[in-house]
Amino acid sequence: MRQADAEEQLDELLSESPEAAARRMTEQARATETGSEIYALHGAGELGREMLRRLREAGVEPMVFTDDTTEKQGQTIDGLVVMSPHAACARFGARLVFAVTILNPLVNFMTAHRRLIELGAPRVISFLHLTWRYPQTCLPYRQFESPPNLLGKVADIRRAWPLFADDESRRQFVAHLRFRLHLDYAALPPSAPDNYFPLGLLPLLPPDAVFVDCGAYDGDTIRAFLEHQGGRFKFIYAFEPDPQSCEQLRGYVGSLRPEDAERIQIFQAAVGEQRARLRFDAAGNMSSSFSAAGAIEVDVLPIDEVVKENGAAVYLKFDVEGAEWEALRGSEELIAGARPLLAISVYHRPDDLWQLPLHVAARFPGYRFYLRTQGEDGAEVICYCLPA
């Protein structure tokens, strides 16, 4: 998509008034309600449980969880029985509405929708359609907010628009806005399997490169970094607060050649603006995050206390489940001194898609900005900031 075409589409999207968007949401909800729906939340994981909690706050009681995982079927989770989709169809019939409560790179909404329809599901919607129906309790959620709220931020969105340096970034920016404003899954960019090393965008770093992996999970991005570099690097700092993921990370690093493993330092800690200990919800997967209701406490470290600028090329990656702002503020000395390549997740909060690029541009002039998507259903949207 050429810049002029993308800008025309942006203007069209942002020309809708918040009041018109509110009416559109209401009309869509009325058009899909019959008053006799029986809801099955398809996906009995973290998102399904969160949506159940929020729907109950709105006075809505789903009838059942459905899940393709046979080990979950027959369990009772938060008061709802978990059934197979086929069994739910047989029991509840034509009144059944499947609301897909899955955010998973292996099963996107369109795939789940197709599979359920093939099983004979009478009706399938996304959990996002329910958030539009019950926005008072269901929104905001992660990067999603109501269209009227989003359209109240047009000035900042337009300020961010000129920052993006290529046509693909501008196309993806518009696509994600269209998805959030219209729940248009078909508009979303396809997932790119590049895992923080998009083809043709990031250069090969020099052999003395330092990689700082914030949100290292089980070592998946370190693995991609070593492949990208052909094994050439000076040092890797890996931060992962989730105990289970950190154990997997240690296992992966321990499997490497000793001469590589000894140049990788692992911190079972989160990153932030200053040293602290905070409550943490350790889910054992990529969704682990800070939470006041978290069962454990984790250390929080500012990058500037751990990684010092020493003239080496630095690649600094942040995928820290909504703590990107705090992580950036704890890295300002390193960013100002080393001018690293930056990869920042911009999908954990509603404004991050435009506000995080605006912040970096204002605080550290001279960067060029690129947007790429390596996930499904609006997730794993990464802003790459490359020093000019």
Side-chain angles (χ1 to χ4, degrees), residues 107-126:
V107 184
N108 62 21
F109 170 70
M110 300 294 278
T111 299
H113 182 280
R114 174 179 53 78
R115 290 177 180 175
L116 289 168
I117 293 298
E118 290 173 352
L119 280 173
R123 188 163 157 227
V124 182
I125 62 175
S126 163

Side-chain angles (χ1 to χ4, degrees), residues 293-315:
I296 66 171
E297 285 191 344
V298 298
D299 290 320
V300 180
L301 301 174
I303 292 294
D304 285 338
E305 288 190 13
V306 179
V307 185
K308 302 298 182 182
E309 194 276 322
N310 62 7
V314 178
Y315 182 15

